[in-house]
Amino acid sequence: MAPQLKLYNTLTRSKDAFVPIDPKNVRMYVCGPTVYDYAHIGNARPIIVFDLLFRLLRQIYGAEAVTYVRNITDVDDKINARAARDYPGLPHNDAIRAVTRKTEEQFHADIRALGVLMPEDVNRPGERPRFVEPRATEHIDEMRMIIERLVERGAAYVAEEHVLFSVAGMQKLSGVPQYGAFSKRSLDELLSGARVDVAPYKRDPMDFVLWKPSGPQDPAWPSPAGIATPGRPGWHIECSAMAWKHLVQAFETRLACSDPTEREIFDIHGGGIDLVFPHHENEIAQSCCAFQTPRMANVWMHNGFLQVEGEKMSKSLGNFFTIHDLLKDWPGEVLRFNMLRTHYRQPIDWTAKGLEESQKTLDRWYELAGHGEAAQLSEHIVEALADDLNTPKMLAELHALDGQGVYDELGANLRAMGFLLEGAERWKARKQASLTVDPAVVEALIAARKEARAAKNWPESDRIRDELAGLNVVVKDNKDGTTTWEVAR
């Protein structure tokens, strides 16, 4: 019998026993990327954390009983700006498609290297998909439907060709939570802590945009609520629409639950801690008001922040790393392992030392346990993970298997969690592929890179870093301003 799964719920601020609405149809939604540039290493944390949770849920409830939705945001003002910058000669809609298609391909290649499951790994032809990766632009009809319902219920209004959510209107509705209840703040606290757009057409400063008019250089669709001017959705409405489409409407005839209101609610919603307010607060407001429910999801999970070498990751500090950058220096499994060494709710300090330690551990485990094919979580590993994804405890159990010499079981558990995917021989070959380099050449390149960074010539700095990576050289920028390097393993 599987141990009782317990998860920390941001909604209740407590670690609670997880009880799915329907054990045969466990449903989870996680906020995915906005595809306008390479995803940074902080973006990788929820991807890895909720991939592990997806694997655990499949182990406990059965692979056929779990549905995972991780969205792609492909309509956003940052995408519009990148399209105008990178493809000035193309019609704007074509340029937008070029940006989103290229960036989405980059994202998928990067996260696959991290050992995460992809839809094609899970879904079977002719069967209902268990892993859905919806795109915002494919759900405009659902967004318009939700907006129309909000207007009808007095929870949204039209002003100067915009549709805005009405916080005051929400407060008047019965059977829905109060705005701010999720993030546990009063309206005054929310107002003081939010970046509020000042607009004359807003009835209240806390009201937020559901739909806005499009200019000639913006993507556009027919607007809801009788607005004649074509427009585009706001950010928050996208997730409400995609979650409803794939985790509520898609299950209307499948769910076995005694309470009819449960049919409009799903089990787990995940994302980074930075999304609690305003994004998730606003998702809850939209969905609960549109569908007259007390909750959008029963369990809300959030991973903690990531910093680099003890400092906030920032381009101005020179410590901003994309997944793509790090994959030039480290195998993806090392990044995954390093991420899981820290409990998902705790802040993580991303350090070169931590990566080196993760590399050494995986080198050993590939050598000892990398030759099998079995992939199965042991009961004691499931028990550790069932305690709110306690990955430090899980890793202690893996080290215990190593110490006991139980290498077949060690390998089976690692493969079930997204490791040992390369095979022992390929991993060994990668490690031995280090090249002998001329230190004088490397030092000259590092000096040139330092000059480029001082001049804020980031393209040249990136080009030199790529050249160093081509020589199999790993560069580390230290807090004292010095730069050290070593040949990659």
Side-chain angles (χ1 to χ4, degrees):
M1 182 176 179
Q4 173 64 62
L5 175 60
K6 295 182 179 180
L7 300 172
Y8 184 85
N9 189 352
T10 307
L11 189 65
T12 62
R13 298 299 197 273
S14 61
K15 186 165 66 174
D16 306 321
F18 174 66
V19 180
I21 295 168
D22 179 356
K24 295 181 179 179
N25 292 288
V26 181
R27 296 162 293 153
M28 177 170 68
Y29 183 93
V30 174
C31 291
T34 300
V35 285
Y36 71 97
D37 203 350
Y38 285 112
H40 60 70
I41 190 59
N43 300 140
R45 195 172 193 191
I47 298 296
I48 293 171
V49 164
F50 292 104
D51 173 75
L52 183 62
L53 179 58
F54 181 40
R55 292 169 184 266
L56 179 64
L57 292 170
R58 285 163 62 87
Q59 171 93 10
I60 294 174
Y61 295 98
E64 307 303 307
V66 183
T67 300
Y68 180 25
V69 178
R70 184 186 65 213
N71 78 291
I72 296 285
T73 295
D74 58 351
V75 53
D76 184 89
D77 288 348
K78 291 179 180 178
I79 295 173
N80 301 342
R82 180 59 57 91
R85 189 197 76 179
D86 292 355
Y87 300 96
L90 287 181
H92 201 61
N93 284 350
D94 293 342
I96 288 171
R97 282 191 291 271
V99 167
T100 57
R101 181 173 60 249
K102 177 182 177 181
T103 309
E104 186 178 330
E105 289 172 355
Q106 293 167 342
F107 171 71
H108 284 153
D110 288 346
I111 65 170
R112 179 169 280 287
L114 299 177
V116 304
L117 291 170
M118 303 292 283
E120 57 267 28
D121 300 325
V122 173
N123 298 331
R124 299 175 182 174
E127 296 185 4
R128 177 179 63 82
R130 268 72 182 185
F131 189 163
V132 185
E133 195 175 45
R135 290 154 184 79
T137 54
E138 297 170 355
H139 296 77
I140 300 297
D141 287 345
E142 288 77 15
M143 296 180 209
R144 283 196 298 250
M145 178 274 293
I146 292 174
I147 291 171
E148 295 275 8
R149 294 184 71 156
L150 291 171
V151 172
E152 289 171 5
R153 299 203 70 209
Y157 58 93
V158 177
E160 296 188 17
E161 300 182 320
H162 292 71
V163 184
L164 296 108
F165 184 86
S166 172
V167 171
M170 179 181 187
Q171 311 297 79
K172 296 176 183 178
L173 297 178
S174 61
V176 301
Q178 291 292 293
Y179 191 78
F182 179 64
S183 52
K184 300 289 192 291
R185 305 179 194 178
S186 68
L187 292 184
D188 288 341
E189 290 172 324
L190 291 171
L191 185 60
S192 64
R195 294 180 179 178
V196 177
D197 292 329
V198 178
Y201 48 79
K202 279 189 176 186
R203 295 177 182 173
D204 186 283
M206 286 304 301
D207 294 348
F208 58 88
V209 172
L210 301 171
W211 190 269
K212 52 191 172 184
S214 292
Q217 294 299 309
D218 297 320
W221 293 267
S223 295
I227 298 172
T229 302
R232 62 198 192 280
W235 173 34
H236 311 299
I237 195 67
E238 298 173 4
C239 286
S240 285
M242 288 182 278
W244 175 82
K245 173 71 174 180
H246 296 285
L247 294 180
V248 175
Q249 186 189 50
F251 285 84
E252 284 177 342
T253 60
R254 295 191 180 95
L255 288 176
C257 48
S258 56
D259 185 348
T261 62
E262 296 280 283
R263 295 183 181 276
E264 298 291 346
I265 300 168
F266 56 92
D267 295 293
I268 300 171
H269 194 312
I273 191 69
D274 57 309
L275 298 181
V276 170
F277 182 82
H279 186 50
H280 288 165
E281 187 81 61
N282 290 352
E283 275 190 59
I284 291 169
Q286 296 160 165
S287 294
C288 290
C289 289
F291 300 108
Q292 297 180 259
T293 58
R295 297 177 306 284
M296 180 183 182
N298 282 337
V299 179
W300 288 78
M301 298 177 65
H302 294 91
N303 60 269
F305 287 112
L306 179 144
Q307 58 183 11
V308 176
E309 301 286 353
E311 296 182 307
K312 182 178 179 180
M313 187 167 60
S314 168
K315 289 183 179 179
S316 63
L317 294 175
N319 66 353
F320 183 92
F321 298 108
T322 66
I323 305 170
H324 195 73
D325 288 335
L326 289 167
L327 288 172
K328 296 173 185 176
D329 300 334
W330 303 92
E333 289 184 31
V334 171
L335 306 184
R336 181 184 183 89
F337 190 91
N338 199 53
M339 196 72 78
L340 294 178
R341 292 172 64 190
T342 302
H343 188 271
Y344 80 94
R345 285 195 286 116
Q346 299 302 314
I348 185 171
D349 190 11
W350 193 261
T351 67
K353 181 180 179 181
L355 288 166
E356 290 164 1
E357 292 171 351
S358 297
Q359 173 88 58
K360 289 176 182 177
T361 300
L362 284 175
D363 284 345
R364 174 178 172 81
W365 286 350
Y366 256 105
E367 182 179 354
L368 297 173
H371 296 279
E373 295 182 359
Q376 181 70 26
L377 295 177
S378 302
E379 183 177 346
H380 52 107
I381 300 296
V382 173
E383 185 176 351
L385 292 174
D387 181 18
D388 193 31
L389 286 186
N390 192 335
T391 52
K393 184 177 179 181
M394 172 269 291
L395 289 173
E397 295 286 354
L398 293 177
H399 282 289
L401 290 175
D402 182 351
Q404 296 160 13
V406 190
Y407 300 127
D408 287 345
E409 185 178 353
L410 173 63
N413 278 283
L414 286 166
R415 278 183 286 274
M417 289 185 286
F419 297 103
L420 306 187
L421 303 181
E422 290 193 5
E425 295 306 318
R426 184 177 175 187
W427 186 270
K428 183 178 179 180
R430 178 205 286 269
K431 185 178 178 182
Q432 292 175 341
S434 299
L435 303 176
T436 301
V437 298
D438 183 344
V441 172
V442 174
E443 293 292 348
L445 287 170
I446 288 176
R449 177 172 172 267
K450 186 174 183 179
E451 290 179 6
R453 287 161 64 86
K456 297 186 178 181
N457 187 347
W458 307 122
E460 177 63 5
S461 173
D462 291 343
R463 185 198 67 76
I464 296 172
R465 186 181 186 90
D466 291 343
E467 185 175 348
L468 287 163
L471 295 174
N472 224 25
V473 169
V474 177
V475 174
K476 178 185 176 183
D477 297 311
N478 302 307
K479 292 181 181 180
D480 62 2
T482 62
T483 299
T484 54
W485 63 275
E486 65 179 11
V487 177
R489 296 172 180 80

